[in-house]
Amino acid sequence: MKNIGIVTSGGDAPGMNAAIRAVTRIAHSMDFRVHGFERGWEGLITNTFRPLTPRSVGGIIQLGGTILLTSRCPEFETKEGVRKASETLATNKIDGLVVIGGNGSFKGALELSKHADTLIIGIPASIDNDVFGTDETIGFDTAVNTAVTETDKIRDTALSHERVFIVEVMGRTRGFLASVVGLTVGAETILVPEVKIDEEKIFATIIENIAKGKKSGIIVAAEGIGDTRKLARDIEQKTGTEVRLSILGYAQRGGSPTARSRLLAGLFANKAVELLSREEGNRIVGLQNGKIASIDLEKSCKTEKPLDLELLRLATVLST
Ligand code: F6P
């Protein structure tokens, strides 16, 4: 192993920079050279990279986003795109590639692994926390804390105006963020894409809460559940309560990573470089029951991470 490449791909997540820094410094300590490919898979297709050294990754541990830039790259979903990317890896004699990203990035990595000789290791970083093989992704804790801080502020105004708020958090297909945010802000209802929406139940909960003397409330909804604007209108009509919608949006993807996101970045990077130094590839690293471990890349891509529905039930009991 002489040359290691790093790429950050898909939606950015706080802690990606901490992971770039850690991979670079650990790899250099083992005498590997490190190339940082830019703009996600696009950098591999266009052969755009910069050398990364222990000094060039200084001062970034606390920064959100990714210094290597990222993108969603439709060209990489074509055979030609994957061919160009594997050619780039061969031309630059990249022995090991560290892919920092989420589910979509790992599916791309799996395809690339079938065409390139390079060993590939995935480091899970996504605010969605939807990667099978790790209990937690880099950036998830930061996004949870950002959303909780904002929702606590929304609770203040909900209480003062005696209103119900729907707080929409990110999560186009999965409800990991919504369920943890919902539980930790004391939401009365949590709506996730994995569970069919039962509007009658939502109305009934609000009416019961009013009868109990609760004049305001918080519903945390993942963006993937559908039209939250319409839901707000329906609740207003059916319950006679004033309802407002607050979409937290992209602020959840940015910001300085929490200590936990930085810690995971360091631990995952350490495992990733260790695997590469042993000439092991096509795996993703992760946190499994409190321990740093790794699983087969293909298995991670082909298995859906289960959402703990118990959190939704517990949130309902805690908010009575
Ligand atoms: O990074 C994950 C995620 O935030 C999803 O929850 C969200 O739906 C999606 O990215 C939006 O990504 P973009 O607008 O960058 O395509």
Side-chain angles (χ1 to χ4, degrees):
M1 181 75 42
K2 286 202 181 71
N3 294 310
I4 288 184
I6 306 180
V7 62
T8 50
S9 161
D12 60 345
M16 278 184 162
N17 281 327
I20 294 168
R21 167 185 179 271
V23 171
T24 302
R25 289 187 172 169
I26 296 163
H28 269 266
S29 76
M30 295 178 174
D31 290 329
F32 304 139
R33 273 189 300 271
V34 183
H35 299 58
F37 289 93
E38 294 178 348
R39 292 186 188 77
W41 297 123
E42 201 184 301
L44 275 116
I45 290 174
T46 57
N47 195 13
T48 311
F49 64 87
R50 62 173 117 146
L52 293 176
T53 65
R55 291 286 58 76
S56 72
V57 295
I60 65 169
I61 193 170
Q62 77 286 11
L63 300 179
T66 160
I67 59 158
L68 289 177
L69 312 176
T70 186
S71 65
R72 312 250 182 218
C73 180
E75 196 185 346
F76 193 67
E77 285 163 30
T78 66
K79 277 203 171 100
E80 186 52 14
V82 174
R83 191 195 61 72
K84 284 185 191 161
S86 47
E87 203 175 281
T88 297
L89 292 172
T91 310
N92 297 295
K93 298 191 170 55
I94 304 293
D95 309 293
L97 180 69
V98 177
V99 180
I100 304 172
N103 232 350
S105 306
F106 294 161
K107 287 191 176 125
L110 178 63
E111 202 44 41
L112 183 60
S113 73
K114 292 176 187 159
H115 297 87
D117 287 333
T118 307
L119 298 172
I120 297 179
I121 298 288
I123 292 187
S126 160
I127 65 156
D128 290 338
N129 196 27
D130 58 349
V131 177
F132 182 82
T134 187
D135 299 339
E136 191 176 328
T137 51
I138 296 168
F140 179 66
D141 181 65
T142 310
V144 166
N145 280 289
T146 301
V148 166
T149 303
E150 291 310 301
T151 309
D152 286 348
K153 294 175 193 166
I154 291 167
R155 174 76 81 182
D156 292 343
T157 178
L159 283 164
S160 306
H161 282 266
E162 302 183 312
R163 284 172 175 164
V164 167
F165 269 81
I166 299 178
V167 178
E168 185 186 299
V169 300
M170 276 192 154
R172 196 153 39 198
T173 57
R174 304 305 310 271
F176 294 96
L177 188 58
S179 48
V180 175
V181 171
L183 183 102
T184 55
V185 299
E188 285 77 14
T189 300
I190 302 173
L191 304 173
V192 293
E194 290 86 345
V195 181
K196 199 170 171 303
I197 303 301
D198 179 350
E199 284 207 351
E200 294 303 325
K201 197 170 155 202
I202 300 170
F203 306 151
T205 305
I206 291 170
I207 290 164
E208 267 167 38
N209 284 342
I210 294 170
K212 280 191 285 195
K214 263 195 171 196
K215 299 210 169 68
S216 68
I218 300 283
I219 297 172
V220 172
E223 64 176 316
I225 65 142
D227 189 348
T228 42
R229 230 170 270 280
K230 178 179 174 300
L231 179 63
R233 278 198 306 271
D234 290 351
I235 298 175
E236 243 178 12
Q237 273 168 15
K238 291 287 159 106
T239 65
T241 317
E242 247 192 312
V243 183
R244 293 288 187 271
L245 169 66
S246 192
I247 299 175
L248 299 189
Y250 284 91
Q252 294 162 97
R253 266 210 336 223
S256 183
T258 58
R260 180 156 182 89
S261 291
R262 299 179 200 193
L263 177 66
L264 287 183
L267 295 173
F268 288 178
N270 191 40
K271 184 74 178 173
V273 180
E274 178 203 310
L275 288 173
L276 287 177
S277 70
R278 292 205 310 255
E279 309 276 323
E280 282 185 48
N282 303 339
R283 299 188 72 74
I284 71 138
V285 299
L287 183 70
Q288 291 168 21
N289 300 321
K291 294 212 160 52
I292 302 299
S294 72
I295 70 154
D296 182 55
L297 174 63
E298 183 155 16
K299 179 157 190 216
S300 171
C301 290
K302 300 210 162 144
T303 319
E304 189 169 272
K305 181 170 170 178
L307 180 76
D308 184 3
L309 295 178
E310 173 61 12
L311 288 185
L312 308 191
R313 193 201 59 79
L314 180 59
T316 310
V317 177
L318 294 180
S319 64
T320 48

